PDB file of all heavy atoms in Angstrom:
ATOM      1  N   TYR A 335      -6.380  27.516   8.834  1.00 98.00           N
ATOM      2  CA  TYR A 335      -5.111  26.906   9.234  1.00 98.00           C
ATOM      3  C   TYR A 335      -5.365  25.982  10.421  1.00 98.00           C
ATOM      4  O   TYR A 335      -5.711  26.437  11.516  1.00 98.00           O
ATOM      5  CB  TYR A 335      -4.107  28.002   9.580  1.00 98.00           C
ATOM      6  CG  TYR A 335      -2.648  27.585   9.644  1.00 98.00           C
ATOM      7  CD1 TYR A 335      -2.204  26.342   9.192  1.00 98.00           C
ATOM      8  CD2 TYR A 335      -1.708  28.461  10.160  1.00 98.00           C
ATOM      9  CE1 TYR A 335      -0.864  25.997   9.242  1.00 98.00           C
ATOM     10  CE2 TYR A 335      -0.355  28.128  10.219  1.00 98.00           C
ATOM     11  CZ  TYR A 335       0.058  26.893   9.766  1.00 98.00           C
ATOM     12  OH  TYR A 335       1.394  26.553   9.821  1.00 98.00           O
ATOM     13  N   LEU A 336      -5.215  24.681  10.191  1.00 98.00           N
ATOM     14  CA  LEU A 336      -5.549  23.649  11.164  1.00 98.00           C
ATOM     15  C   LEU A 336      -4.306  23.046  11.809  1.00 98.00           C
ATOM     16  O   LEU A 336      -3.263  22.911  11.167  1.00 98.00           O
ATOM     17  CB  LEU A 336      -6.341  22.532  10.496  1.00 98.00           C
ATOM     18  CG  LEU A 336      -7.620  22.934   9.757  1.00 98.00           C
ATOM     19  CD1 LEU A 336      -8.209  21.734   9.022  1.00 98.00           C
ATOM     20  CD2 LEU A 336      -8.636  23.511  10.728  1.00 98.00           C
ATOM     21  N   ARG A 337      -4.446  22.607  13.062  1.00 98.00           N
ATOM     22  CA  ARG A 337      -3.352  21.960  13.790  1.00 98.00           C
ATOM     23  C   ARG A 337      -3.629  20.468  13.921  1.00 98.00           C
ATOM     24  O   ARG A 337      -4.626  20.061  14.504  1.00 98.00           O
ATOM     25  CB  ARG A 337      -3.202  22.581  15.189  1.00 98.00           C
ATOM     26  CG  ARG A 337      -2.080  21.959  16.018  1.00 98.00           C
ATOM     27  CD  ARG A 337      -0.725  22.262  15.412  1.00 98.00           C
ATOM     28  NE  ARG A 337       0.360  21.791  16.246  1.00 98.00           N
ATOM     29  CZ  ARG A 337       1.435  21.160  15.773  1.00 98.00           C
ATOM     30  NH1 ARG A 337       1.550  20.920  14.487  1.00 98.00           N
ATOM     31  NH2 ARG A 337       2.400  20.795  16.588  1.00 98.00           N
ATOM     32  N   ASP A 338      -2.720  19.661  13.372  1.00 98.00           N
ATOM     33  CA  ASP A 338      -2.794  18.194  13.442  1.00 98.00           C
ATOM     34  C   ASP A 338      -1.778  17.716  14.486  1.00 98.00           C
ATOM     35  O   ASP A 338      -0.730  17.182  14.160  1.00 98.00           O
ATOM     36  CB  ASP A 338      -2.479  17.613  12.048  1.00 98.00           C
ATOM     37  CG  ASP A 338      -2.443  16.098  12.022  1.00 98.00           C
ATOM     38  OD1 ASP A 338      -3.074  15.458  12.882  1.00 98.00           O
ATOM     39  OD2 ASP A 338      -1.772  15.553  11.122  1.00 98.00           O
ATOM     40  N   GLN A 339      -2.114  17.946  15.744  1.00 96.00           N
ATOM     41  CA  GLN A 339      -1.198  17.642  16.855  1.00 96.00           C
ATOM     42  C   GLN A 339      -0.827  16.160  16.893  1.00 96.00           C
ATOM     43  O   GLN A 339       0.329  15.814  17.134  1.00 96.00           O
ATOM     44  CB  GLN A 339      -1.858  18.041  18.178  1.00 96.00           C
ATOM     45  CG  GLN A 339      -0.936  17.960  19.376  1.00 96.00           C
ATOM     46  CD  GLN A 339      -0.015  19.161  19.500  1.00 96.00           C
ATOM     47  OE1 GLN A 339      -0.405  20.280  19.209  1.00 96.00           O
ATOM     48  NE2 GLN A 339       1.220  18.936  19.920  1.00 96.00           N
ATOM     49  N   SER A 340      -1.787  15.278  16.644  1.00 97.00           N
ATOM     50  CA  SER A 340      -1.548  13.826  16.718  1.00 97.00           C
ATOM     51  C   SER A 340      -0.798  13.290  15.502  1.00 97.00           C
ATOM     52  O   SER A 340      -0.300  12.168  15.525  1.00 97.00           O
ATOM     53  CB  SER A 340      -2.872  13.080  16.847  1.00 97.00           C
ATOM     54  OG  SER A 340      -3.576  13.130  15.604  1.00 97.00           O
ATOM     55  N   GLN A 341      -0.758  14.058  14.451  1.00 96.00           N
ATOM     56  CA  GLN A 341      -0.156  13.686  13.164  1.00 96.00           C
ATOM     57  C   GLN A 341      -0.938  12.583  12.441  1.00 96.00           C
ATOM     58  O   GLN A 341      -0.503  12.087  11.407  1.00 96.00           O
ATOM     59  CB  GLN A 341       1.310  13.274  13.329  1.00 96.00           C
ATOM     60  CG  GLN A 341       2.171  14.374  13.937  1.00 96.00           C
ATOM     61  CD  GLN A 341       3.649  14.073  13.908  1.00 96.00           C
ATOM     62  OE1 GLN A 341       4.084  12.976  14.241  1.00 96.00           O
ATOM     63  NE2 GLN A 341       4.430  15.063  13.493  1.00 96.00           N
ATOM     64  N   GLU A 342      -2.118  12.249  12.935  1.00 97.00           N
ATOM     65  CA  GLU A 342      -2.934  11.204  12.301  1.00 97.00           C
ATOM     66  C   GLU A 342      -3.437  11.646  10.926  1.00 97.00           C
ATOM     67  O   GLU A 342      -3.559  10.827  10.013  1.00 97.00           O
ATOM     68  CB  GLU A 342      -4.112  10.817  13.205  1.00 97.00           C
ATOM     69  CG  GLU A 342      -3.703  10.052  14.454  1.00 97.00           C
ATOM     70  CD  GLU A 342      -2.915   8.787  14.144  1.00 97.00           C
ATOM     71  OE1 GLU A 342      -3.329   8.029  13.245  1.00 97.00           O
ATOM     72  OE2 GLU A 342      -1.877   8.566  14.803  1.00 97.00           O
ATOM     73  N   THR A 343      -3.739  12.926  10.775  1.00 98.00           N
ATOM     74  CA  THR A 343      -4.212  13.411   9.476  1.00 98.00           C
ATOM     75  C   THR A 343      -3.088  13.369   8.454  1.00 98.00           C
ATOM     76  O   THR A 343      -3.295  12.965   7.304  1.00 98.00           O
ATOM     77  CB  THR A 343      -4.811  14.825   9.610  1.00 98.00           C
ATOM     78  OG1 THR A 343      -5.866  14.787  10.583  1.00 98.00           O
ATOM     79  CG2 THR A 343      -5.374  15.318   8.293  1.00 98.00           C
ATOM     80  N   ALA A 344      -1.891  13.750   8.862  1.00 96.00           N
ATOM     81  CA  ALA A 344      -0.731  13.679   7.961  1.00 96.00           C
ATOM     82  C   ALA A 344      -0.489  12.247   7.510  1.00 96.00           C
ATOM     83  O   ALA A 344      -0.191  11.993   6.335  1.00 96.00           O
ATOM     84  CB  ALA A 344       0.514  14.231   8.656  1.00 96.00           C
ATOM     85  N   LYS A 345      -0.652  11.304   8.429  1.00 94.00           N
ATOM     86  CA  LYS A 345      -0.475   9.883   8.081  1.00 94.00           C
ATOM     87  C   LYS A 345      -1.584   9.405   7.149  1.00 94.00           C
ATOM     88  O   LYS A 345      -1.328   8.652   6.211  1.00 94.00           O
ATOM     89  CB  LYS A 345      -0.434   9.030   9.349  1.00 94.00           C
ATOM     90  CG  LYS A 345       0.833   9.233  10.163  1.00 94.00           C
ATOM     91  CD  LYS A 345       0.769   8.501  11.492  1.00 94.00           C
ATOM     92  CE  LYS A 345       1.949   8.866  12.367  1.00 94.00           C
ATOM     93  NZ  LYS A 345       1.773   8.431  13.755  1.00 94.00           N
ATOM     94  N   ALA A 346      -2.814   9.856   7.405  1.00 96.00           N
ATOM     95  CA  ALA A 346      -3.954   9.428   6.580  1.00 96.00           C
ATOM     96  C   ALA A 346      -3.804   9.908   5.135  1.00 96.00           C
ATOM     97  O   ALA A 346      -4.139   9.186   4.193  1.00 96.00           O
ATOM     98  CB  ALA A 346      -5.262   9.939   7.178  1.00 96.00           C
TER      99      ALA A 346
END
Side-chain angles (χ1 to χ4, degrees):
Y335 196 11
L336 304 174
R337 180 67 175 137
D338 176 24
Q339 188 80 37
S340 72
Q341 301 189 314
E342 290 304 314
T343 303
K345 290 173 188 167

